[in-house]
Amino acid sequence: MRGHEPRSSSSCAACKLLKRRCSPNCIFAPYFRSNEPKKFAKVHKVFGASNVSKILIEVPEEQREDTVNSLAYEAEVRLRDPVYGCIGAIALLQRKMIELQHDLTLARARLARYAATSAISDTDRVRMGPFGDFPAACGGFIGSFSQNISSEVNQDSHMYDFSQIPYI
């Protein structure tokens, strides 16, 4: 376990920042090494040393390293975006995913439309002439096709309104 590893005699990053003597059983020492002063500084600025200490005491020892990494990530993101933090990043990624799904749906519709129009054989094109019965033959199909596609595209749009940042 990381908490029982021997460590050097120097103070951990937390004790250096807090300007206190680092004891052998310091809760911060295994997770905030002396060569990572910025990691603890960010966590301390967002959460406070007392709160981090309480969190680490409550968490089982085998999960503490993951907990510290999560706190460090949340602190970093919270310092970059003080209002939304990780939620802002998640909302941004969800919005991008919805946009990409919409683009994929449009691309599939265009591909289906292309496949449908290219299915007309060359002999049919020659027989109809350059413009032949194009509006009568394809107009109804294209109109109904575009209605189906627009209803598919807009079907779930009300569920994913990301014009507002979500609140928890």
Side-chain angles (χ1 to χ4, degrees), residues 1 31 56 58-70:
M1 291 191 188
Y31 313 106
L56 289 177
E58 290 179 17
V59 173
E61 194 167 335
E62 60 273 1
Q63 295 177 353
R64 286 182 184 170
E65 187 171 355
D66 292 333
T67 303
V68 168
N69 290 335
S70 295

Side-chain angles (χ1 to χ4, degrees), residues 84 87-88 90-92 94-95 161-168:
Y84 296 112
I87 299 300
I90 291 168
L92 181 70
Q94 285 178 333
R95 188 176 311 125
D161 181 18
F162 286 102
S163 60
Q164 300 292 323
I165 300 293
Y167 292 98
I168 293 183

Side-chain angles (χ1 to χ4, degrees), residues 32-140:
F32 299 102
R33 300 192 183 274
S34 60
N35 60 350
E36 301 174 316
K38 291 183 180 180
K39 181 179 177 181
F40 182 75
K42 291 176 183 177
V43 171
H44 173 61
K45 186 172 186 175
V46 173
F47 298 105
S50 177
N51 290 330
V52 173
S53 173
K54 290 174 188 174
I55 290 170
L56 289 177
I57 289 170
E58 290 179 17
V59 173
E61 194 167 335
E62 60 273 1
Q63 295 177 353
R64 286 182 184 170
E65 187 171 355
D66 292 333
T67 303
V68 168
N69 290 335
S70 295
L71 289 171
Y73 178 75
E74 175 66 32
E76 173 118 7
V77 175
R78 183 64 62 181
L79 289 172
R80 272 191 268 140
D81 184 359
V83 177
Y84 296 112
C86 287
I87 299 300
I90 291 168
L92 181 70
L93 291 172
Q94 285 178 333
R95 188 176 311 125
K96 184 69 176 171
M97 185 179 70
I98 297 301
E99 289 173 6
L100 291 172
Q101 286 174 339
H102 183 262
D103 292 346
L104 180 61
T105 302
L106 290 176
R108 285 182 177 159
R110 289 179 185 152
L111 183 62
R113 191 175 327 134
Y114 175 76
T117 57
S118 66
I120 299 174
S121 68
D122 289 334
T123 57
D124 291 339
R125 286 187 192 148
V126 170
R127 190 176 41 176
M128 283 193 260
F131 297 107
D133 295 320
F134 181 75
C138 297

Side-chain angles (χ1 to χ4, degrees), residues 14-27:
C15 292
K16 282 183 180 180
L17 183 77
L18 300 172
K19 297 179 181 173
R20 65 182 191 190
R21 188 166 185 251
C22 191
S23 66
N25 59 353
C26 176
I27 189 91

